Amino acid sequence: MANGDIMFFFLDDFFINLCVIITLTVLYVPLRSKLKIADRPFWQKGIIDGGLCGLNSVMLIIFSIEVAEGALVDLRFIPIMLIILLEGLFPAIIASIVVIAGRFIIGGMSDFSISAVFLMIALVIGFQLIHKLYQTKMEKKIYIKAVVMIFYSNIVFTITMMFHFQNDYLSLLSFLPIYCFVSFVGVTHVKKRSQSFSEV
């Protein structure tokens, strides 16, 4: 398969991931309003938001791209980033637990699955620190934080993948630029969803 065909294949599948995120979030926002989840007690709201956010990420794992045996690449970090930005740490922890369980169920026990656990922990910790420490007086605060979080997630993801592809960097380079590009496209989605959540 030519390099151009490989790049198109990855780009096509990553955009499917992005479409899944947008579709599920668009469906959840009005449902969240109708069920008045925002009015529920803190722990109930956190479990519901976190559980559904985690299921969103699990759906992305189902539609992931297997770039090597057992290596599933997708945009599961975006729902986690969204829930931290909009609802806080507690639902993000619930979501992460769901994602980790889903990753093992879908991918089985492997080095990649174990790495995914540490990757998720690093992302949640990093996202929370950025959310709390990175302050700006600009109106687009959430949007700017999302950009910083995506930079961070891409760095962590790249380091993790370099560990697994240390003997085959060409394979890593075949999908990494597309992954980074599509993840930044998700910033627009974050901006729109932050506005939707503020209205429910």
Side-chain angles (χ1 to χ4, degrees), residues 15 22 28 40 46 54 81 94 106 128 140 175 188:
F15 271 107
I22 294 171
Y28 180 57
R40 293 174 180 266
M81 181 181 70
I94 300 297
I106 293 170
Q128 179 67 8
K140 298 180 179 179
F175 68 84
T188 302

Side-chain angles (χ1 to χ4, degrees), residues 53-117:
C53 172
L55 290 176
N56 190 339
S57 291
V58 171
M59 284 294 294
L60 296 175
I61 297 174
I62 292 173
F63 287 95
S64 62
I65 306 164
E66 189 170 18
V67 295
E69 186 176 355
L72 305 178
V73 177
D74 49 68
L75 300 176
R76 76 190 75 165
F77 77 92
I78 290 183
I80 305 296
M81 181 181 70
L82 267 173
I83 205 69
I84 282 184
L85 284 170
L86 303 174
E87 292 298 314
L89 181 60
F90 176 60
I93 292 174
I94 300 297
S96 298
I97 293 171
V98 174
V99 173
I100 290 170
R103 178 62 176 86
F104 277 106
I105 291 171
I106 293 170
M109 179 64 71
S110 67
D111 290 342
F112 285 104
S113 296
I114 295 172
S115 293
V117 175

